Amino acid sequence: FGAGEGLTALGVPIDAPGMSVHADRVWDSAAAKTLHLLERLRDFPSAWIRHVLLRHCLDACKVMHLLRSTPIGSGASAVASLSDALRQALADLVNVGMSDEAYAQATLPASLGGAGIKDPAFERGPARMAAICGFAMDGHSRVGCPQFACAAPLRDTAATIAALRPTLGPRF
């Protein structure tokens, strides 16, 4: 690793210790593609088509992969801009402004009365915690990581738990 350099393995940006320059670049690239797609969403006249694309497409797999694989804090500005753009796209879809309460409702699954839109700012904590737990449980069998290393807490575990607080509530 050189100063400000990193590498990407299996779509996961890996920075030099103590840096997040490469991860931020990967996040910015993914966000730019998704933001471009969100702008193009307005070109579709049908609200139903826009909703389906908003809910199921728009490079959401790449964003979710980055949410799971990068430490909390990496790409923070990209996550915030994606969240704002999704909120605006949803407001355009329903043709009204979105209060915080209405947006929170819209990000719920359809089975709970929401629009099923996944906000990366909200999904960040749960996605990262799922990755941390998955690695702790299956890291040895999947990638040959020594058991003691799989069980060691990652550097961003405390930040991940803090990011889960809005989801889990103060008494969890």
Side-chain angles (χ1 to χ4, degrees):
F1 291 109
E5 293 180 16
L7 59 100
T8 302
L10 302 174
V12 177
I14 302 168
D15 280 304
M19 301 183 77
S20 64
V21 175
H22 181 61
D24 287 343
R25 278 195 301 257
V26 172
W27 262 109
D28 290 343
S29 173
K33 290 176 187 174
T34 303
L35 291 170
H36 175 71
L37 292 171
L38 283 170
E39 284 297 319
R40 299 288 314 267
L41 196 62
R42 292 186 175 123
D43 296 341
F44 293 94
S46 168
W48 180 78
I49 291 172
R50 287 185 288 162
H51 178 251
V52 169
L53 290 172
L54 188 61
R55 186 172 173 196
H56 298 291
C57 299
L58 300 176
D59 213 17
C61 292
K62 175 71 171 178
V63 171
M64 287 306 286
H65 179 67
L66 287 172
L67 287 174
R68 290 176 58 86
S69 63
T70 58
I72 296 287
S74 292
S77 63
V79 170
S81 65
L82 284 172
S83 180
D84 292 343
L86 281 169
R87 185 176 185 147
Q88 184 58 51
L90 193 57
D92 290 348
L93 181 70
V94 296
N95 205 25
V96 294
M98 298 294 285
S99 66
D100 291 341
E101 294 82 14
Y103 186 63
Q105 175 75 30
T107 59
L108 291 173
S111 63
L112 296 175
I117 308 301
K118 292 191 177 193
D119 182 348
F122 180 76
E123 296 291 331
R124 179 154 226 177
R128 182 66 178 155
M129 184 55 76
I132 289 171
C133 292
F135 183 74
M137 292 186 320
D138 299 327
H140 177 71
S141 62
R142 291 192 180 188
V143 295
C145 181
Q147 291 281 354
F148 71 90
C150 292
L154 297 177
R155 284 181 274 169
D156 70 323
T157 301
T160 301
I161 292 169
L164 281 171
R165 291 279 180 231
T167 306
L168 300 176
R171 296 183 185 191
F172 185 82

